[in-house]
Amino acid sequence: DQRYINVYIYAAVEPGTDNAFALILPDANGVGMQAFLDAFAKTIAADEHVALVLDGAGWHSGKTLRVPANITLVPLPAYSPELNPVERVWLYLKQRFLSLRLLNDYKEIVTAASKAGKRLCRETGRLASLTAYPWIMKVKP
């Protein structure tokens, strides 16, 4: 069986806390990134500004991308996924909830990804421990 269907989880996590925001979308592209940024910006308090660390994927920095005023994109150096705290979240989700499974269609994949995210969020302190990189905690206000 060589069929495949993908979904993409766009997420922002606040290192060292259980605060997170995510969207599950059908494509990894500029349109999806814009939808994520617009939705995420609405969750940020009026007196806050977010530095969003991201890798060098093309859709993270497209020329048509309109970054909301309350978010600053902070690109990581090339080939440095170990600096991005959300990478450990992806690894945890895949290892614990999403690998070695056969799902029949797009809806089942979205449901599985959503359930995995909700299970992770119910594990008090897990997200905080996954994202509390020592270097980040030194610079975090």
Side-chain angles (χ1 to χ4, degrees), residues 11-118:
V13 297
E14 181 179 354
T17 74
D18 285 335
N19 295 333
F21 174 80
L23 287 180
I24 301 170
L25 298 172
D27 298 300
N29 57 25
V31 173
M33 185 65 178
Q34 189 67 61
F36 170 75
L37 289 173
D38 292 342
F40 178 50
K42 293 175 185 173
T43 69
I44 300 169
D47 62 340
E48 291 182 327
H49 188 90
V50 171
L52 186 61
V53 174
L54 38 78
D55 63 23
W59 62 86
H60 288 163
S61 59
K63 292 179 179 153
T64 60
L65 201 60
R66 295 174 320 281
V67 181
N70 57 351
I71 298 173
T72 297
L73 301 182
V74 180
L76 290 171
Y79 308 106
S80 59
E82 70 280 1
L83 297 177
N84 192 345
V86 82
E87 293 296 334
R88 287 179 63 192
V89 175
W90 301 146
L91 182 61
Y92 185 84
L93 287 173
K94 287 187 270 186
Q95 287 177 337
R96 302 276 193 235
F97 308 120
L98 297 173
S99 64
L100 304 173
R101 299 182 65 190
L102 179 61
L103 302 166
N104 290 321
D105 57 27
Y106 180 81
K107 185 177 178 181
E108 280 189 27
I109 297 169
V110 170
T111 299
S114 180
K115 283 182 181 179
K118 289 175 183 175

